[in-house]
Amino acid sequence: MPSDTIFAVSSGAPPAAIGIVRVSGAFAAAAAEALAGRLPAPRQASLRALRDTEGEVLDRALVLWFPGPATATGEDLAEFHCHGGRAVLAAVERALGKLEGLRKAEPGEFTRRAFANGRIDLAEAEGLADLLAAETELQRRSAQAALGGAISGQVESWRAAVLHLGAQVEASLDFADEDDVGDLPYSFYGDVSALADSMGEWLARPGVERLRDGVRVVLAGPPNTGKSTLFNALVRDAAAITSPVAGTTRDVIERPVAFGGVPFLLVDTAGLHEAGGDTIEAIGMDRAREQLERADIVLWLGREGEGPAGALEIQSRADEVGEPSKQAPDHVVSAVTGKGLAELEEDLIARARLLLPKPGAAALNAQQRERVGEAATALGAIAPGTDLLIIGENLRQARVSFDRLLGRASTEDMLDALFGRFCIGK
């Protein structure tokens, strides 16, 4: 357990009605006594006057005391629920900073201590990071499932099954000459296959990155077909410059947006046409083609049938007389009158739901998918007739992958990257 004690504002950015200053570590009790005079009863809020070392009243606040290890961080924990003004919180932090053994927390340090002290595992910590960053209902529900242990519980179940299978192999190796222990039963290989199939089902699910970053919708087509105007209408903002002059958009413009609680990343691109003598325009078209390769959904505003396979045919500028029409457009829209925009959004929502995790279901991130994939590959190498030592090694590799996923065998660099995503008070 770390020897120093940390503190930070753990509520939202001031000013606010309430500001919470959290203290965690061996000197948390001493810090509470120094500011509030004496400790309140454990887990009971007590109204106290907070004073600095000179005796000046800083604020009247609710003080809470949580003796470890049954706390959020696994350490002794104190909280001061103060008035949420900037000056008040700054004064309380200044007073804490003058106490021996205390220092201000680094980003994510409270959560990192919770992980180090076994209060949460790595999968739950990643779920918490996603929950803090959630901006849509789908993101919140998926992150809450991960934080609640949906991923951890499944991985622990797989790990226990692997340990049970490993015990059978060890018994066959250690007691191969005993009459009561023979070769591995055929059911052993069925259990291995069923375990690998269970992992395959999780690997087949959509990953959390698409939910976190949003379904990527790319607007594409030749110059002056209304891409930027439609883009602005969909994001409800004049994010892209529009002009009747062809070639106004020369770079990629991205904007996150949510339709019906579903996260999207809308991407406006430069017009695609035969390259001319403009170097900058050519670079813009190259970037547009790169975006088409990365797109989850393409809205094609060019001539019918000339877009990428699977693109939605969009007939834009439905309000303008004389605009060329498509024979079988998926959507006819006008960014000026709003015609067809609601129907287009509904279609995008329906298509996105097929690409995203089910509402409330936990989803694996890229690192977790890699670990589960490693374990599934190791189990897939086990078959009747395989040498027992090789089977045992494959099972060990699967267990190690699970340990890495849960944070029982993690590198400091990886932990630094994860907890660096958190704010200072978390």
Side-chain angles (χ1 to χ4, degrees):
M1 181 180 294
S3 59
D4 51 354
T5 297
I6 57 174
F7 65 88
V9 175
S10 294
S11 51
I18 301 294
I20 300 174
V21 180
R22 173 177 287 178
V23 184
S24 179
F27 295 109
E33 291 173 340
L35 269 66
R38 57 188 176 86
L39 285 179
R43 294 172 175 79
Q44 293 185 18
S46 179
L47 182 63
R48 303 288 177 82
L50 303 184
R51 302 175 184 273
D52 61 17
T53 53
E54 284 74 38
E56 180 181 349
V57 175
L58 306 175
D59 191 23
R60 289 184 62 81
L62 290 177
V63 180
L64 292 98
W65 161 242
F66 305 93
T71 65
T73 61
E75 304 174 328
D76 287 348
L77 194 70
E79 289 184 352
F80 305 100
H81 293 227
C82 310
H83 293 92
R86 290 188 179 90
V88 172
L89 295 176
V92 173
E93 285 195 302
R94 190 161 52 247
L96 289 171
K98 293 180 179 179
L99 300 178
E100 183 178 355
L102 272 69
R103 65 171 174 81
K104 195 164 184 177
E106 298 293 332
E109 193 166 4
F110 287 100
T111 307
R112 186 162 187 163
R113 292 192 176 196
F115 168 74
N117 292 320
R119 299 299 294 172
I120 58 174
D121 61 34
L122 191 60
E124 291 168 330
E126 290 175 310
L128 177 57
D130 288 339
L131 183 63
L132 294 174
E135 295 182 349
T136 69
E137 180 64 8
L138 282 178
Q139 291 169 337
R140 182 195 68 79
R141 293 176 67 182
S142 177
Q144 188 65 59
L147 175 59
I151 294 175
S152 303
Q154 181 60 73
V155 174
E156 287 286 9
S157 175
W158 289 334
R159 187 178 185 276
V162 165
L163 289 174
H164 177 70
L165 293 169
Q168 295 182 55
V169 174
E170 290 296 326
S172 294
L173 285 170
D174 292 343
F175 305 105
D177 295 331
E178 299 277 343
D179 292 336
D180 59 340
V181 181
D183 294 333
L184 291 172
Y186 193 76
S187 61
F188 173 91
Y189 301 99
D191 292 341
V192 170
S193 179
L195 191 57
D197 288 344
S198 175
M199 296 177 202
E201 291 175 3
W202 275 75
L203 291 172
R205 298 181 183 183
V208 75
E209 282 77 17
R210 192 177 266 141
L211 182 60
R212 180 189 300 156
D213 301 334
V215 174
R216 183 175 287 267
V217 179
V218 175
L219 287 75
N224 206 26
T225 53
K227 297 185 301 299
S228 296
T229 303
L230 177 57
F231 176 85
N232 288 342
L234 290 172
V235 301
R236 278 85 163 169
D237 186 23
I241 298 173
T242 60
S243 167
V245 179
T248 300
T249 302
R250 295 195 169 201
D251 205 351
V252 172
I253 300 175
E254 299 181 349
R255 286 292 185 278
V257 66
F259 301 140
V262 178
F264 292 89
L265 184 67
L266 298 189
V267 184
D268 189 22
T269 60
L272 296 170
H273 62 95
E274 294 184 5
D278 191 328
T279 302
I280 295 178
E281 191 174 16
I283 294 173
M285 287 191 291
D286 287 341
R287 293 181 177 178
R289 295 185 183 97
E290 291 174 0
Q291 288 298 322
L292 288 176
E293 293 293 326
R294 299 173 56 194
D296 296 314
I297 301 173
V298 174
L299 304 184
W300 179 252
L301 279 71
R303 288 185 177 179
E304 195 167 8
E306 294 184 0
L312 290 178
E313 294 284 357
I314 306 298
Q315 181 178 322
S316 61
R317 296 174 175 171
D319 56 289
E320 296 184 15
V321 179
E323 276 293 305
S325 62
K326 297 186 178 185
Q327 294 297 315
D330 292 290
H331 293 278
V332 178
V333 301
S334 168
V336 175
T337 67
K339 175 183 178 180
L341 291 181
E343 291 79 5
L344 174 58
E345 290 179 8
E346 289 297 323
D347 191 4
L348 291 175
I349 291 171
R351 293 171 183 271
R353 289 191 183 279
L354 300 176
L355 301 172
L356 295 173
K358 294 180 180 179
L364 302 176
N365 61 32
Q367 182 171 261
Q368 292 166 344
R369 292 174 67 85
E370 184 177 353
R371 300 288 89 82
V372 174
E374 291 170 353
T377 299
L379 295 182
I382 297 175
T386 306
D387 186 275
L388 291 180
L389 290 174
I390 295 177
I391 292 176
E393 175 59 21
N394 285 328
L395 292 172
R396 188 194 68 81
Q397 290 177 4
R399 179 184 57 76
V400 169
S401 295
F402 296 144
D403 286 345
R404 293 175 66 189
L405 191 156
L406 296 172
R408 295 170 183 165
S410 303
T411 65
E412 286 300 310
D413 288 345
M414 184 272 291
L415 295 178
D416 288 344
L418 168 62
F419 293 112
R421 293 173 55 192
F422 290 83
C423 61
I424 289 178
K426 200 65 181 177

